[in-house]
Amino acid sequence: MTPLIGRTRTRGVETLILDSPHTRNALSSALVAELTDALKRCGEDPGVRAVLLTHTGNTFCAGADLRDPPPAEAFTGLLELIVRLPKPVVARVDGHVRAGGLGLLGACDLSVASAAASFAFTEVRVGVAPAVIALPLRPRVDPRALARYCLTGERFDAREAARIGLVTAAAGEEGPDEALAPVLDGLRRAAPQALARTKELLTVKVLEAFTEDAGGMSRLTASLFSQPDAREGMTAFLERRDPAWVL
């Protein structure tokens, strides 16, 4: 099978590339498993100072693959792994991010989005809820903004994503690579153990959310995906029509 995760390394920064553009890098069972394995290898490799998570195509991640969704526990485990990894994980976003893809951003330590990026919590529009991705997002994103965008499914841009704390920064005219250059340089100049300990300090609240709520959120996700609303919403999405509840 063709790998879904590309890998390169430059001066201690391991770049993991979501490389399934034909599915808009949707979170399939296979992609989640490959990304989990790649991150574990990075965590164990003393030659990796930091991880850069990016993508091919015009979409960073379209959310769950509705034809082959990963088990809720596997996706929860992936997000927790990013948070617990003893190396900083930095996201480079140069395209669209939807639903579960926003959970990946929430789990990352730092992130930069270009002017080409757009964001939307689309779960309510297909009959489910942003349950698992709430674990890393609620401690980090402005609560009023999170309520608005999760309840409405509205689309917003990189500047708004930075304003509400979904991403670290919106790249200007210079583009995401130029904006990331000083970030990656700073990580390369930091002592590995100091980075690991500092990350531990900064992720306490996020990890508390996983410890207290991960099981419940996984069960809620599995339950919602089995409900009639979800079946109608996902069918409507695949058939490119409005679901029956739209007024």
Side-chain angles (χ1 to χ4, degrees):
M1 294 179 62
T2 304
L4 302 176
I5 304 297
R7 299 179 67 172
T8 64
R9 187 181 301 185
T10 304
R11 294 178 54 214
V13 175
E14 186 88 354
T15 300
L16 302 182
I17 307 161
L18 304 180
D19 191 19
S20 182
H22 62 289
T23 67
R24 299 171 64 227
N25 295 317
L27 295 163
S28 64
S29 295
L31 188 145
V32 167
E34 284 192 35
L35 182 55
T36 298
D37 179 69
L39 285 164
K40 287 180 178 177
R41 292 175 182 270
C42 289
E44 297 166 355
D45 188 340
V48 175
R49 181 66 53 82
V51 177
L52 180 65
L53 182 62
T54 188
H55 60 102
T56 57
N58 66 358
T59 302
F60 176 81
C61 179
D65 187 332
L66 300 184
R67 293 183 172 87
D68 179 28
E73 295 80 3
F75 183 46
T76 305
L78 169 60
L79 297 183
E80 185 172 1
L81 173 63
I82 294 172
V83 179
R84 291 191 182 277
L85 204 75
K87 317 287 175 76
V89 182
V90 182
R92 174 192 177 277
V93 181
D94 193 28
H96 309 301
V97 194
R98 301 290 185 266
L102 297 168
L104 292 179
L105 294 185
C108 289
D109 301 288
L110 302 165
S111 52
V112 171
S114 76
S118 73
F119 308 83
F121 293 90
T122 52
E123 288 88 347
V124 291
R125 299 195 179 191
V126 294
V128 295
V132 169
I133 68 171
L135 295 169
L137 289 171
R138 286 189 301 188
R140 288 175 161 165
V141 178
D142 176 83
R144 285 294 190 183
L146 191 61
R148 173 181 175 174
Y149 293 119
C150 285
L151 290 170
T152 67
E154 293 173 83
R155 187 170 66 178
F156 53 99
D157 63 15
R159 287 187 179 181
E160 177 70 353
R163 185 190 72 81
I164 68 176
L166 176 63
V167 300
T168 307
E173 295 180 359
E174 76 274 23
D177 294 321
E178 290 80 358
L180 278 167
V183 174
L184 299 180
D185 181 64
L187 296 177
R188 290 184 175 107
R189 291 174 179 276
Q193 284 301 309
L195 282 178
R197 299 291 85 77
T198 301
K199 178 169 176 172
E200 286 181 3
L201 293 172
L202 297 173
T203 55
V204 169
K205 292 296 183 182
V206 182
L207 289 175
E208 284 179 0
F210 279 93
T211 300
E212 296 171 3
D213 298 328
M217 291 300 186
S218 294
R219 290 189 294 272
L220 175 60
T221 295
S223 172
L224 289 171
F225 267 86
S226 68
Q227 297 300 311
D229 275 358
R231 290 194 291 272
E232 165 61 11
M234 288 185 280
T235 300
F237 176 82
L238 295 172
E239 293 178 352
R240 299 180 181 275
R241 61 172 174 83
D242 284 340
W245 61 72
V246 173
L247 300 176

